[in-house]
Amino acid sequence: MAITKRYTGLIENYRSRLPVSAATRIISLGEGNTPLIQLLNIPALIGKEVEIYVKYEGLNPTGSFKDRGMTMAVTKAVEDGSRAIICASTGNTSASAAAYAVRAGIKAFVLIPEGKIALGKLAQTLMYGAKIIQIRGNFDDGMALVKQVAEHAPVTIVNSINPFRLEGQKTAAFEIVDELGAAPDYHCLPVGNAGNITAYWKGYSEYAADSAGHPAVTDKRPVMCGYQALGASPFVQGKMVDNPETVATAIRIGHPQSWDLAWNVQKESGGWFDALGDEQILLAQKMLAQHEGIFCEPASAASLAGLLVDLESGKIPAGSRIVCTLTGNGLKDPDTAIGQCRDTHPVSIEASLDAVKKAILDSM
Ligand code: F0G
């Protein structure tokens, strides 16, 4: 029987809005089309009349939103004849680059800060077979080195300074508008290099500009709210930070690459940047898992943590419709997750019916 409807990735899905031609060989792993899940319990828990949705990007092929940008960046790198890609990464970009390089049959080189990337991300990047170069430095050091290396070697940079990354990532905004019928009032997301906040704004803006010829779309755009970790908060401090530190290693970045672009998003959207303590971020991560059944990585939870603060203060008013991007899957960082649940460590008992019964009754 013929297959009538098959999802083959975001480039095919939004072809007319992306820089590809009929001849382009598309490198895809079926990324995008991620769930937009309405939170059912947290609004009641915090006593607020609000409509909150999370865009669960952890369900992309390598478990983060990076795949949206990577399908585009690697597709274009291959189209331009490139045989190798390179990136600096806090973990997710390296996993994604590694996977898409394999898919394309080219080589991936990744620079990561030694000891500062989550275990799941390292496992992925190793399995995909990328050339991993660990540096005794942080992401910002790695990024500076990658830029220098790319001047001397025939490698394409696939960090978000590659404009095709943002082209791919803007499709998340398209999906949200397609599903909700209009842009939300507020869009909250974690900010590191600020490529993603820039990409979402581009997506919302392109749809809004086109709304006349697109019956399903309005010209509404959301207020963009970017949240950082307190120890890695250059946008909140208004200046670069030299030794960023946070448990949310994905956003342990002090010198964001999309600095001017993100300030422009803030101004145009009437939005803001704010910073959260590591405890607030971890609390939001646990809240999503334990009240909604949604497991994201710590950095992703900064979006909800920030929203909770802004709902409490009234900065984001009751009655709003809000989307939070959950950028990565919770399985990426098992160490931090297990570390957060020390008080609920599994009990160990004899393998007998009596012992199991007792264990169940004890916790009723
Ligand atoms: N959330 C997660 C899970 C990330 O991995 C990143 C960035 C961000 C948020 C921030 O996005 O940089 O566009 O503002 N991770 C990059 C990496 C730096 O190397 O994986 P941004």
Side-chain angles (χ1 to χ4, degrees), residues 116-189:
K116 289 293 182 181
I117 87 163
L119 201 61
K121 304 175 188 181
L122 187 60
Q124 291 180 286
T125 311
L126 285 165
M127 277 301 279
Y128 295 132
K131 174 69 188 173
I132 301 179
I133 303 161
Q134 298 202 71
I135 59 164
R136 286 179 218 103
N138 59 30
F139 169 86
D140 302 309
D141 301 322
M143 194 64 239
L145 288 165
V146 161
K147 286 180 179 169
Q148 290 170 37
V149 169
E151 280 179 21
H152 303 288
V155 288
T156 304
I157 299 179
V158 294
N159 281 102
S160 54
I161 54 169
N162 178 327
F164 297 122
R165 278 276 310 275
L166 303 192
E167 286 297 307
Q169 285 170 218
K170 75 184 180 186
T171 60
F174 297 164
E175 289 177 13
I176 291 167
V177 176
D178 285 344
E179 199 163 337
L180 296 178
D185 301 314
Y186 295 85
H187 191 119
C188 304
L189 70 179

Side-chain angles (χ1 to χ4, degrees), residues 20 35 62 182 186 235 289 295 305:
V20 289
T62 77
Y186 295 85
F235 283 105
F295 189 22

Side-chain angles (χ1 to χ4, degrees), residues 65-66 88-93 139 190-196 250-251 253 297 299-300 327-328:
F65 73 97
K66 304 289 180 178
S89 180
T90 55
N92 281 324
T93 301
F139 169 86
V191 169
N193 277 312
N196 212 26
I251 51 172
I253 293 167
E297 66 171 287
S300 309
T327 44

Side-chain angles (χ1 to χ4, degrees), residues 100-355:
Y100 283 82
V102 170
R103 191 76 168 164
I106 62 174
K107 218 170 159 44
F109 297 94
V110 307
L111 268 75
I112 54 173
E114 189 175 41
K116 289 293 182 181
I117 87 163
L119 201 61
K121 304 175 188 181
L122 187 60
Q124 291 180 286
T125 311
L126 285 165
M127 277 301 279
Y128 295 132
K131 174 69 188 173
I132 301 179
I133 303 161
Q134 298 202 71
I135 59 164
R136 286 179 218 103
N138 59 30
F139 169 86
D140 302 309
D141 301 322
M143 194 64 239
L145 288 165
V146 161
K147 286 180 179 169
Q148 290 170 37
V149 169
E151 280 179 21
H152 303 288
V155 288
T156 304
I157 299 179
V158 294
N159 281 102
S160 54
I161 54 169
N162 178 327
F164 297 122
R165 278 276 310 275
L166 303 192
E167 286 297 307
Q169 285 170 218
K170 75 184 180 186
T171 60
F174 297 164
E175 289 177 13
I176 291 167
V177 176
D178 285 344
E179 199 163 337
L180 296 178
D185 301 314
Y186 295 85
H187 191 119
C188 304
L189 70 179
V191 169
N193 277 312
N196 212 26
I197 196 168
T198 304
Y200 269 92
W201 185 243
K202 189 167 197 296
Y204 283 125
S205 299
E206 285 182 14
Y207 253 28
D210 253 19
S211 55
H214 200 298
V217 174
T218 70
D219 62 0
K220 180 177 171 182
R221 293 185 293 175
V223 173
M224 302 296 291
C225 313
Y227 300 107
Q228 303 207 282
L230 213 48
S233 53
F235 283 105
V236 180
Q237 298 180 38
K239 61 175 170 51
M240 301 296 172
V241 170
D242 277 338
N243 292 300
E245 211 42 87
T246 169
V247 68
T249 52
I251 51 172
R252 187 173 169 270
I253 293 167
H255 290 241
Q257 297 299 310
S258 294
W259 181 256
D260 294 335
L261 291 170
W263 281 114
N264 193 48
V265 172
Q266 180 267 320
K267 283 192 207 90
E268 278 188 28
S269 77
W272 56 83
F273 296 107
D274 211 342
L276 292 307
D278 280 359
E279 325 68 50
Q280 284 171 294
I281 291 173
L282 293 179
L283 203 67
Q285 184 198 18
K286 206 164 183 179
M287 217 170 162
L288 276 165
Q290 306 205 334
H291 294 281
E292 301 286 354
I294 300 169
F295 189 22
C296 67
E297 66 171 287
S300 309
S303 59
L304 179 70
L307 170 63
L308 294 179
V309 169
D310 288 336
L311 281 172
E312 189 54 41
S313 71
K315 200 168 175 182
I316 296 182
S320 300
R321 177 183 277 180
I322 305 130
V323 173
C324 294
T325 299
L326 299 183
T327 44
N329 198 300
L331 295 170
K332 292 269 190 178
D333 190 351
D335 294 318
T336 307
I338 293 169
Q340 268 213 80
C341 301
R342 287 200 200 292
D343 49 338
T344 51
H345 260 188
V347 289
S348 252
I349 57 162
E350 290 309 316
S352 74
L353 184 58
D354 278 351

